[in-house]
Amino acid sequence: MSLIPEQDDFLFPLGALLDARDKVKTANNWQEKYREIMLMGKLLPSLSREFHTDEAQIRGCESKAWLYHTRFDDQHYFLADSEARIVKGLAALLLAECQGASRDELQVFDIQNYFSALGLKGQLSPSRTNGLMALANQMQAAANSDE
């Protein structure tokens, strides 16, 4: 990618994101989980419009969403943004689990098991599930690349 955010942008604090993920997991019903996911999206830094490029756009996602990747030593970091609040919240859930992971950890990450453990299995529409899979696949591919 020719235009990439500053490396420091990838190092946003994870504490609030991890706490929000735990709230999604312990929410009693789908409405509460949905609300927590929407709030979670607000915890991710927003990418400026200049980074909303075709090159960074996640293919297979119904809503426009963008993903950037960088690596520090053997750890991988991501920035994600979307025009749709629910998609940004779902991306935040993925980043809560994958931010700072090694290539090997990302390669064995099973998004279906992760979302099942969060109580989200069967709650997302097929198009949202496909978009989420596309995001996870793109994260794994980025970590596997030689960049």
Side-chain angles (χ1 to χ4, degrees):
M1 288 183 204
S2 54
L3 185 64
I4 297 177
E6 297 292 323
Q7 285 199 337
D8 288 346
D9 294 337
F10 289 88
L11 299 176
F12 56 88
L14 282 180
L17 210 56
L18 296 173
D19 290 344
R21 178 202 55 199
D22 293 343
K23 286 181 181 178
V24 170
K25 187 174 186 176
T26 60
N28 293 322
N29 57 53
W30 170 239
Q31 289 80 14
E32 286 180 30
K33 288 182 186 293
Y34 186 85
R35 180 180 179 281
E36 292 299 332
I37 293 168
M38 297 288 274
L39 291 172
M40 209 171 167
K42 293 180 179 183
L43 297 174
L44 286 184
S46 292
L47 291 171
S48 65
R49 290 264 180 226
E50 68 182 320
F51 295 112
H52 291 185
T53 65
D54 287 343
E55 204 171 315
Q57 193 168 344
I58 299 164
R59 306 290 177 234
C61 192
E62 187 175 283
S63 302
K64 286 189 177 182
W66 302 270
L67 179 72
Y68 284 89
H69 164 259
T70 194
R71 180 177 53 224
F72 299 109
D73 298 320
D74 292 329
Q75 295 178 298
H76 296 269
Y77 295 88
F78 301 92
L79 283 174
D81 200 3
S82 178
E83 294 177 344
R85 290 185 336 179
I86 186 67
V87 172
K88 190 166 182 175
L90 292 168
L93 274 174
L94 274 177
L95 268 57
E97 189 67 17
C98 296
Q99 197 75 328
S102 70
R103 184 180 134 221
D104 291 342
E105 290 168 330
L106 288 168
Q107 293 310 311
V108 299
F109 174 69
D110 186 327
I111 189 171
Q112 292 180 349
N113 285 342
Y114 177 57
F115 272 74
S116 182
L118 292 171
L120 299 175
K121 186 175 183 179
Q123 297 295 332
L124 301 173
S125 69
S127 63
R128 289 280 183 250
T129 300
N130 290 340
L132 198 55
M133 292 298 294
L135 175 59
N137 290 339
Q138 196 164 330
M139 289 171 70
Q140 289 172 326
N144 205 31
S145 72
D146 290 333
E147 290 181 15

